[in-house]
Coordinates of all heavy atoms in Angstrom, one line a residue:
R537 N 60.8 154.1 -207.3 CA 60.8 155.0 -206.2 C 60.6 156.4 -206.7 O 61.3 156.9 -207.6 CB 62.2 155.0 -205.5 CG 62.4 153.7 -204.7 CD 63.7 153.7 -203.9 NE 63.7 152.6 -202.9 CZ 64.3 152.7 -201.8 NH1 65.1 153.8 -201.5 NH2 64.3 151.7 -200.9
V538 N 59.5 157.0 -206.3 CA 59.1 158.4 -206.8 C 58.7 159.3 -205.6 O 58.5 158.8 -204.5 CB 57.9 158.2 -207.8 CG1 58.3 157.5 -209.0 CG2 56.7 157.5 -207.1
S539 N 58.6 160.6 -205.9 CA 58.1 161.4 -204.8 C 56.7 161.8 -205.3 O 56.4 162.0 -206.5 CB 58.9 162.6 -204.6 OG 59.0 163.4 -205.8
V540 N 55.7 161.8 -204.3 CA 54.3 162.1 -204.6 C 53.8 163.2 -203.7 O 54.3 163.4 -202.6 CB 53.5 160.8 -204.4 CG1 53.8 159.7 -205.3 CG2 53.5 160.3 -203.0
A541 N 52.8 164.0 -204.3 CA 52.2 165.0 -203.5 C 50.8 164.5 -203.2 O 50.0 164.1 -204.1 CB 52.1 166.3 -204.4
I542 N 50.5 164.5 -201.9 CA 49.2 164.0 -201.5 C 48.4 165.1 -200.8 O 48.9 165.7 -199.8 CB 49.3 162.8 -200.5 CG1 50.2 161.7 -201.1 CG2 47.9 162.2 -200.1 CD1 50.5 160.6 -200.1
D543 N 47.3 165.5 -201.4 CA 46.5 166.6 -200.9 C 45.6 166.1 -199.8 O 44.8 165.1 -200.0 CB 45.6 167.1 -202.1 CG 45.3 168.6 -201.8 OD1 45.9 169.2 -200.9 OD2 44.5 169.1 -202.6
G544 N 45.6 166.7 -198.6 CA 44.7 166.3 -197.5 C 45.4 166.0 -196.2 O 45.1 166.6 -195.2
P545 N 46.3 165.0 -196.1 CA 46.9 164.7 -194.8 C 48.1 165.5 -194.4 O 48.6 166.2 -195.2 CB 47.3 163.2 -195.1 CG 47.8 163.2 -196.5 CD 46.8 164.2 -197.2
T546 N 48.4 165.4 -193.1 CA 49.6 166.0 -192.6 C 50.5 164.8 -192.1 O 50.1 163.9 -191.4 CB 49.3 166.9 -191.4 OG1 48.3 167.9 -191.8 CG2 50.5 167.5 -190.8
V547 N 51.8 164.9 -192.6 CA 52.7 163.9 -192.1 C 52.9 164.0 -190.6 O 53.1 165.1 -190.1 CB 54.1 164.0 -192.8 CG1 55.0 162.9 -192.4 CG2 53.9 163.9 -194.4
G548 N 52.8 162.9 -189.9 CA 52.9 162.9 -188.4 C 51.6 162.8 -187.8 O 51.5 162.4 -186.6
R549 N 50.5 163.1 -188.6 CA 49.2 162.9 -188.0 C 48.5 161.7 -188.8 O 48.5 160.6 -188.3 CB 48.3 164.2 -188.2 CG 48.8 165.3 -187.2 CD 47.6 166.3 -187.1 NE 48.1 167.4 -186.3 CZ 47.7 168.7 -186.5 NH1 46.8 168.9 -187.5 NH2 48.2 169.7 -185.8
Q550 N 47.9 162.0 -190.0 CA 47.1 161.0 -190.7 C 48.1 160.0 -191.3 O 47.7 158.8 -191.5 CB 46.2 161.6 -191.8 CG 45.1 162.4 -191.3 CD 45.5 163.8 -190.9 OE1 46.7 164.2 -191.1 NE2 44.6 164.6 -190.3
I551 N 49.3 160.4 -191.7 CA 50.2 159.5 -192.3 C 51.6 159.7 -191.7 O 51.9 160.8 -191.1 CB 50.3 159.7 -193.9 CG1 50.8 161.1 -194.3 CG2 49.0 159.3 -194.6 CD1 51.0 161.3 -195.7
D552 N 52.5 158.6 -191.9 CA 53.8 158.7 -191.3 C 54.8 158.0 -192.1 O 54.5 157.1 -192.9 CB 53.7 158.1 -189.8 CG 54.4 159.1 -188.9 OD1 55.4 159.7 -189.3 OD2 53.9 159.2 -187.7
E553 N 56.1 158.3 -191.8 CA 57.1 157.5 -192.4 C 57.0 156.0 -192.2 O 56.6 155.6 -191.1 CB 58.5 158.0 -191.9 CG 58.8 159.4 -192.2 CD 60.2 159.9 -191.7 OE1 61.0 159.0 -191.5 OE2 60.4 161.1 -191.4
G554 N 57.2 155.2 -193.2 CA 57.1 153.7 -193.1 C 55.7 153.2 -193.3 O 55.5 152.0 -193.3
D555 N 54.7 154.1 -193.4 CA 53.3 153.7 -193.5 C 53.1 153.0 -194.9 O 53.7 153.3 -195.9 CB 52.3 154.9 -193.5 CG 51.9 155.2 -192.1 OD1 52.4 154.5 -191.2 OD2 51.2 156.3 -191.9
E556 N 52.2 152.0 -194.8 CA 51.8 151.3 -196.1 C 50.5 152.0 -196.6 O 49.5 152.1 -195.8 CB 51.5 149.8 -195.8 CG 51.2 149.1 -197.1 CD 51.1 147.6 -196.8 OE1 50.0 147.1 -196.3 OE2 52.0 146.8 -197.1
L557 N 50.5 152.5 -197.8 CA 49.3 153.2 -198.3 C 48.8 152.4 -199.5 O 49.6 151.7 -200.2 CB 49.7 154.6 -198.7 CG 50.2 155.6 -197.6 CD1 50.6 156.9 -198.2 CD2 49.2 155.7 -196.5
W558 N 47.5 152.7 -199.8 CA 46.9 152.0 -201.0 C 46.2 153.0 -201.8 O 45.7 154.0 -201.4 CB 45.9 151.0 -200.5 CG 46.4 149.9 -199.6 CD1 46.9 149.9 -198.3 CD2 46.7 148.5 -200.0 NE1 47.4 148.8 -197.9 CE2 47.2 147.8 -198.9 CE3 46.5 147.8 -201.2 CZ2 47.6 146.5 -199.0 CZ3 46.8 146.5 -201.3 CH2 47.4 145.8 -200.2
I559 N 46.0 152.6 -203.1 CA 45.1 153.4 -204.0 C 43.7 152.9 -203.6 O 43.5 151.7 -203.6 CB 45.4 153.2 -205.5 CG1 46.7 153.7 -205.8 CG2 44.3 153.8 -206.3 CD1 46.9 155.2 -205.7
E560 N 42.8 153.8 -203.3 CA 41.4 153.3 -202.9 C 40.6 152.8 -204.1 O 40.6 153.5 -205.1 CB 40.7 154.5 -202.2 CG 39.4 154.1 -201.6 CD 38.6 155.4 -201.1 OE1 39.3 156.4 -200.7 OE2 37.4 155.3 -201.1
L561 N 40.1 151.6 -203.9 CA 39.4 151.0 -205.1 C 37.9 151.1 -204.8 O 37.4 150.5 -203.8 CB 39.7 149.5 -205.2 CG 41.0 149.1 -205.9 CD1 41.0 147.6 -206.1 CD2 41.1 149.7 -207.3
P562 N 37.1 151.7 -205.8 CA 35.6 151.6 -205.6 C 35.2 150.1 -205.8 O 35.8 149.3 -206.5 CB 35.1 152.3 -206.8 CG 36.3 153.1 -207.3 CD 37.5 152.4 -206.9
E563 N 34.2 149.7 -205.0 CA 33.8 148.3 -205.0 C 33.5 147.7 -206.4 O 33.9 146.6 -206.8 CB 32.6 148.1 -204.1 CG 32.2 146.6 -203.9 CD 31.2 146.4 -202.8 OE1 30.7 147.4 -202.2 OE2 30.9 145.3 -202.5
K564 N 32.8 148.6 -207.2 CA 32.4 148.2 -208.5 C 33.7 147.9 -209.4 O 33.7 146.9 -210.2 CB 31.6 149.3 -209.2 CG 30.9 148.9 -210.4 CD 29.9 150.0 -210.9 CE 29.5 149.7 -212.3 NZ 29.0 150.9 -212.9
H565 N 34.7 148.7 -209.3 CA 35.9 148.6 -210.0 C 36.6 147.3 -209.6 O 37.2 146.5 -210.5 CB 36.8 149.8 -209.9 CG 36.3 151.0 -210.5 ND1 37.1 152.1 -210.9 CD2 35.0 151.4 -210.8 CE1 36.3 153.0 -211.4 NE2 35.1 152.6 -211.4
A566 N 36.7 147.0 -208.3 CA 37.3 145.8 -207.8 C 36.7 144.6 -208.4 O 37.3 143.6 -208.8 CB 37.2 145.8 -206.3
K567 N 35.3 144.6 -208.5 CA 34.6 143.5 -209.0 C 34.9 143.2 -210.5 O 35.2 142.1 -210.9 CB 33.1 143.8 -208.8 CG 32.2 142.7 -209.2 CD 30.7 143.0 -209.0 CE 29.8 141.9 -209.4 NZ 28.4 142.2 -209.0
I568 N 34.9 144.3 -211.3 CA 35.2 144.2 -212.7 C 36.6 143.6 -212.9 O 36.9 142.8 -213.7 CB 35.1 145.5 -213.4 CG1 33.6 145.9 -213.4 CG2 35.6 145.5 -214.9 CD1 33.3 147.3 -214.0
L569 N 37.6 144.2 -212.1 CA 39.0 143.7 -212.2 C 39.1 142.2 -211.9 O 39.8 141.5 -212.6 CB 39.9 144.5 -211.2 CG 40.2 145.9 -211.7 CD1 40.8 146.8 -210.5 CD2 41.3 145.9 -212.8
E570 N 38.4 141.8 -210.8 CA 38.6 140.4 -210.4 C 37.8 139.5 -211.3 O 38.4 138.4 -211.7 CB 38.0 140.2 -209.0 CG 38.2 138.8 -208.5 CD 37.6 138.5 -207.1 OE1 36.5 139.1 -206.8 OE2 38.1 137.7 -206.4
Q571 N 36.6 139.9 -211.8 CA 35.8 138.9 -212.5 C 36.1 139.0 -214.0 O 35.9 138.0 -214.7 CB 34.3 139.1 -212.2 CG 34.0 138.8 -210.8 CD 32.6 139.0 -210.4 OE1 31.8 139.3 -211.2 NE2 32.3 138.9 -209.1
E572 N 36.4 140.1 -214.6 CA 36.5 140.2 -216.0 C 37.9 140.5 -216.5 O 38.3 140.2 -217.6 CB 35.6 141.3 -216.5 CG 34.1 140.9 -216.3 CD 33.2 142.1 -216.6 OE1 33.5 142.9 -217.5 OE2 32.2 142.3 -215.9
L573 N 38.7 141.2 -215.7 CA 40.0 141.7 -216.3 C 41.2 141.1 -215.6 O 42.4 141.5 -215.9 CB 40.1 143.2 -216.1 CG 39.0 144.0 -216.8 CD1 39.1 145.5 -216.5 CD2 39.1 143.8 -218.4
S574 N 41.0 140.1 -214.7 CA 42.2 139.6 -214.0 C 43.3 139.0 -214.9 O 44.4 139.0 -214.5 CB 41.7 138.5 -213.0 OG 41.2 137.4 -213.7
E575 N 42.9 138.6 -216.1 CA 43.9 138.1 -217.0 C 44.6 139.2 -217.8 O 45.6 139.0 -218.6 CB 43.3 137.1 -218.0 CG 43.0 135.7 -217.3 CD 42.3 134.8 -218.2 OE1 42.3 135.0 -219.5 OE2 41.7 133.8 -217.7
D576 N 44.1 140.4 -217.7 CA 44.6 141.5 -218.6 C 45.5 142.5 -217.8 O 46.0 143.4 -218.3 CB 43.4 142.3 -219.1 CG 42.5 141.5 -220.0 OD1 43.0 141.0 -221.0 OD2 41.4 141.2 -219.6
I577 N 45.7 142.2 -216.5 CA 46.5 143.2 -215.7 C 47.8 142.4 -215.2 O 47.8 141.2 -215.1 CB 45.7 143.7 -214.5 CG1 45.2 142.6 -213.6 CG2 44.6 144.6 -215.0 CD1 44.5 143.1 -212.3
P578 N 48.9 143.2 -215.0 CA 50.1 142.5 -214.6 C 50.0 141.7 -213.3 O 49.1 142.1 -212.5 CB 51.1 143.7 -214.5 CG 50.4 144.9 -215.1 CD 49.0 144.6 -215.1
G579 N 50.9 140.7 -213.1 CA 50.8 139.9 -211.9 C 50.9 140.7 -210.6 O 50.2 140.4 -209.7
D580 N 51.8 141.7 -210.6 CA 51.9 142.4 -209.3 C 50.7 143.2 -209.0 O 50.3 143.4 -207.8 CB 53.2 143.4 -209.4 CG 53.0 144.4 -210.5 OD1 53.2 144.1 -211.7 OD2 52.6 145.5 -210.2
E581 N 50.0 143.7 -210.1 CA 48.8 144.4 -209.8 C 47.7 143.5 -209.3 O 46.9 143.9 -208.5 CB 48.3 145.1 -211.2 CG 47.4 146.2 -211.0 CD 47.3 147.0 -212.3 OE1 48.4 147.5 -212.9 OE2 46.2 147.1 -212.8
L582 N 47.7 142.3 -209.9 CA 46.7 141.3 -209.4 C 47.0 141.0 -208.0 O 46.0 140.8 -207.2 CB 46.9 140.0 -210.3 CG 45.8 139.0 -210.2 CD1 44.4 139.5 -210.5 CD2 46.1 137.8 -211.1
E583 N 48.3 140.9 -207.6 CA 48.6 140.6 -206.2 C 48.1 141.7 -205.3 O 47.5 141.5 -204.2 CB 50.1 140.5 -206.1 CG 50.6 140.2 -204.7 CD 52.1 140.6 -204.6 OE1 52.7 141.2 -205.5 OE2 52.7 140.2 -203.5
A584 N 48.2 143.0 -205.7 CA 47.7 144.1 -204.9 C 46.2 144.0 -204.8 O 45.6 144.2 -203.7 CB 48.1 145.4 -205.6
L585 N 45.6 143.6 -205.9 CA 44.1 143.5 -205.9 C 43.7 142.4 -204.9 O 42.8 142.6 -204.1 CB 43.6 143.1 -207.3 CG 42.1 142.8 -207.4 CD1 41.3 144.0 -207.2 CD2 41.8 142.2 -208.8
R586 N 44.4 141.3 -204.9 CA 44.0 140.2 -204.0 C 44.2 140.6 -202.6 O 43.4 140.3 -201.7 CB 44.8 138.9 -204.3 CG 44.6 138.4 -205.8 CD 44.3 137.0 -205.8 NE 43.6 136.6 -207.1 CZ 44.3 136.0 -208.1 NH1 45.6 135.7 -208.1 NH2 43.6 135.7 -209.2
M587 N 45.3 141.3 -202.3 CA 45.6 141.7 -200.9 C 44.5 142.7 -200.4 O 44.0 142.6 -199.3 CB 46.9 142.3 -200.7 CG 48.1 141.3 -200.9 SD 49.7 142.1 -201.0 CE 50.0 142.5 -199.3
Y588 N 44.1 143.6 -201.3 CA 43.1 144.6 -201.0 C 41.7 143.9 -200.7 O 41.0 144.1 -199.7 CB 42.9 145.5 -202.2 CG 42.2 146.8 -201.9 CD1 42.8 147.9 -201.4 CD2 40.8 146.9 -202.1 CE1 42.1 149.1 -201.2 CE2 40.1 148.0 -201.8 CZ 40.8 149.2 -201.4 OH 40.1 150.3 -201.1
L589 N 41.4 142.9 -201.6 CA 40.1 142.2 -201.4 C 40.2 141.3 -200.1 O 39.2 141.3 -199.4 CB 39.9 141.2 -202.6 CG 39.5 141.9 -204.0 CD1 39.6 140.9 -205.1 CD2 38.1 142.6 -203.9
D590 N 41.3 140.7 -199.8 CA 41.4 139.9 -198.6 C 41.1 140.7 -197.4 O 40.3 140.3 -196.5 CB 42.8 139.3 -198.5 CG 43.0 138.1 -199.4 OD1 42.0 137.7 -200.0 OD2 44.2 137.7 -199.5
K591 N 41.7 141.9 -197.3 CA 41.5 142.8 -196.2 C 40.0 143.2 -196.1 O 39.4 143.1 -195.0 CB 42.3 144.1 -196.3 CG 43.8 143.9 -196.0 CD 44.6 145.2 -196.2 CE 46.0 145.0 -195.9 NZ 46.3 144.9 -194.5
Q592 N 39.4 143.6 -197.2 CA 38.0 144.0 -197.2 C 37.1 142.9 -196.8 O 36.1 143.1 -196.1 CB 37.6 144.5 -198.6 CG 38.2 145.8 -199.0 CD 37.4 147.0 -198.5 OE1 36.7 146.9 -197.5 NE2 37.6 148.2 -199.1
R593 N 37.4 141.7 -197.3 CA 36.5 140.5 -197.1 C 36.6 140.0 -195.7 O 35.8 139.2 -195.3 CB 36.7 139.5 -198.2 CG 36.1 139.9 -199.5 CD 36.4 139.0 -200.7 NE 35.9 139.6 -201.9 CZ 36.3 139.1 -203.1 NH1 37.1 138.1 -203.2 NH2 35.8 139.7 -204.2
K594 N 37.7 140.3 -195.0 CA 37.8 139.9 -193.6 C 36.7 140.6 -192.8 O 36.1 140.1 -191.8 CB 39.1 140.2 -193.0 CG 40.2 139.2 -193.4 CD 41.4 139.3 -192.6 CE 42.5 138.3 -193.0 NZ 43.7 138.9 -193.5
R595 N 36.4 141.8 -193.3 CA 35.3 142.6 -192.6 C 34.0 142.3 -193.2 O 33.0 142.2 -192.5 CB 35.7 144.1 -192.9 CG 34.9 145.2 -192.3 CD 35.5 146.5 -192.6 NE 35.8 146.7 -194.1 CZ 34.8 147.1 -194.9 NH1 33.6 147.3 -194.5 NH2 35.1 147.2 -196.2

Side-chain angles (χ1 to χ4, degrees):
R537 288 186 163 207
V538 292
S539 59
V540 295
I542 306 172
D543 208 10
T546 302
V547 180
R549 288 200 190 148
Q550 293 81 3
I551 57 174
D552 228 322
E553 294 180 28
D555 275 356
E556 184 175 79
L557 300 178
W558 296 77
I559 295 298
E560 187 185 333
L561 279 189
E563 187 169 6
K564 192 175 164 195
H565 292 203
K567 183 177 180 171
I568 293 173
L569 281 163
E570 183 183 33
Q571 293 177 10
E572 295 169 34
L573 301 173
S574 61
E575 287 174 18
D576 301 294
I577 59 177
D580 62 280
E581 202 165 299
L582 191 58
E583 180 198 9
L585 173 68
R586 298 228 161 103
M587 289 170 78
Y588 194 89
L589 289 170
D590 282 349
K591 285 175 179 289
Q592 288 278 23
R593 286 174 186 166
K594 280 193 180 118
R595 188 175 47 83

